[in-house]
Amino acid sequence: MQTIRDEDRVRDKKPRRLVGHFLVPPEVAVIVPTFNERDNVLELAARLARALEGIAFEVVVVDDDSPDGTAELVRELSLHDPRFRCIQRIGRRGLASACIEGMLATSAPFLAVIDADLQHDERLLTGMLEVLRSGRADAVVASRYLEGTEVPGWAEERRLASRLATRLVAGIPRLRGLSDPLSGFFMLTREAFDGSVRRLSAIGFKLLLDILLSAPQPLRVVELPYRFRERRLGRSKLDLRVVVEFLVLLLDKLVGAWVPARFLLFTAVGGLGVFVHLAVLVLVHRGFAVEFVRAQILATLVAMTFNFALNNELTYSDRRLRGVDWLRGWASFSLACSLGAFANVGIAAFLFGRETSWILAAIGGILVGAVWNYAVTGFYTWGRRSAD
Ligand code: GDD
Ligand code: MN
C-alpha cells in the first residue's frame, strides 16, 4: 500500500506561506471516480502529472466514501500538490453520478474522465485535448475496439458481455460509426456537458452513452485508439448490478421522459413479488397444510421482504441501505406497502361498485397501490439518510 512519507506529514501541519506560487486556472480537468482505489491513486497521480506536463490541469477525484481510505490519501496528496483534490460523497454510490459531480465542481473548459485503476492509457489525454482545442469535435472517445484490439486479461464472459452490450446500442442512430460508445475514458467540452447535464439519467457506469444520448443536438465525436490495460491492483466493481443499471439507463433514455425508469424497475420487482408470494403460499398452504390465512400472512411477509431486498439492491442501488438502516428501511417499506394494499383494495372496491369490469377495477387498484408504494417508499425508505 502506498502512503505519504512521515516527514512530509509533519511539514503539512506547519503554517504555510505563499511564496509566489499561485494556482493557474485549469484548462483541463481530469475526473477520477474512485471506490476502494487507495493502492492505485498515487501511481495514477504520478502518471497524470507526467502525461500532462506543461498543461494547466487539475484532477478531481470523486470518492464514494471508500472504506480503504482513498479520500484521505487524496487529501494528503492535495496538501503537496493542489492540482489534485478530492470530493468525498457519503451515503451515495455510482460511477456516472460521481463523474457528473466532479465536472460540476470544476471551471475547466475541457473535461476528461479516467478510471483510477490504470487500465486507461493516460498518455492519450494530450492527443484528446488537441482534438478538442482544434474545435473539430465536441467529444473525444478513447476506444478499446477501434483497431480491433482485444482486451487482455478479460474472462470470456466479460469479453462476450462487452461485445453484446456494444452490439445492443450499435443500432441507435446517434451512436452509428462509433466503435466504443461504452468507453469509460473520454474528454468533452464544457459546452457539450452543459448542454446535456440536466437531462442525464446518471444511472450506473455508462456516462458517455448517457451524454451522447442526452445532448440536445448530436455531438461531433472523434475516436482515438488505445490498448485497455489489465487492472493492476484492487478489484473491478462491475457486477450484475452494473449490468442491470446499464439496461435501466437504456430504458430511461427510451421512455424516461414519460415514466421514470426507477418506477418501471420498482413495478417489475413488484411483479416478481407476486410470484414469490404465490410460490410460498402453494408451498406452505398446500405442501405443509398450514391454514390459509396464516399461510397468506407468511407469504405476504416473505414477498414484502423479497421486494424490499431486491429494490434495495437494484432500484435504489445508489442509496443502498445497510445494517440497522436496512432493518429500519424494511420496517418503513412494509408499513408503506401495507397501507398501499389498503389503498389498492379500496380503489378497486370503489371502481367495482361503480360498475367497472372486475379486471379494470383490479388494475386500477393495483396501479394506485403501486404509485403509492413507489412514492412513499421513495421518500421515507430511500429518500433520507438516517443521519439526517
Ligand atoms: N465514485 C465511484 N462510485 N467510483 C466508482 C464506483 C462508484 O460507485 N464504482 C466504480 N468506481 C470507479 C472505480 O474505482 C474505478 O476507478 C472506475 O470507477 C472503474 O471501475 P471498475 O470497477 O474498474 O470498472 P471496469 O474496469 O470493469 O470498467 C471500466 O472501464 C470500461 C472501459 O473503459 C468502466 O469505466 C466502464 O464503464 C468502461 O466501459
Ligand atoms: Mn477497471
Side-chain angles (χ1 to χ4, degrees), residues 201-324:
S201 307
I203 300 168
F205 266 40
K206 306 301 177 189
L207 178 60
L208 174 66
L209 182 74
D210 199 353
I211 291 174
L212 293 177
L213 296 182
S214 303
Q217 300 293 325
L219 297 178
R220 294 168 303 148
V221 183
V222 164
E223 283 189 311
L224 298 179
Y226 82 108
R227 280 190 86 79
F228 192 65
R229 295 186 288 228
E230 271 182 68
R231 182 180 254 278
R232 214 178 51 126
L233 296 164
R235 286 189 351 186
S236 167
K237 282 92 208 169
L238 198 136
D239 53 14
L240 181 65
R241 177 172 62 101
V242 174
V243 175
V244 173
E245 282 171 349
F246 169 60
L247 296 175
V248 175
L249 170 65
L250 288 182
L251 196 67
D252 199 49
K253 291 271 89 86
L254 216 63
V255 299
W258 299 285
V259 200
R262 224 194 265 271
F263 177 66
L264 293 179
L265 203 58
F266 188 86
T267 322
V269 169
L272 281 182
V274 174
F275 284 101
V276 171
H277 183 115
L278 291 178
V280 174
L281 194 62
V282 167
L283 185 78
V284 177
H285 178 53
R286 305 298 295 257
F288 292 99
V290 173
E291 179 241 342
F292 177 75
V293 174
R294 281 196 186 168
Q296 172 76 357
I297 291 174
L298 183 71
T300 307
L301 274 176
V302 173
M304 223 140 58
T305 306
F306 168 85
N307 279 7
F308 169 69
L310 206 57
N311 276 317
N312 193 44
E313 293 304 311
L314 298 179
T315 318
Y316 288 101
S317 62
D318 55 335
R319 306 180 209 164
R320 211 181 270 170
L321 303 168
R322 288 269 174 258
V324 184

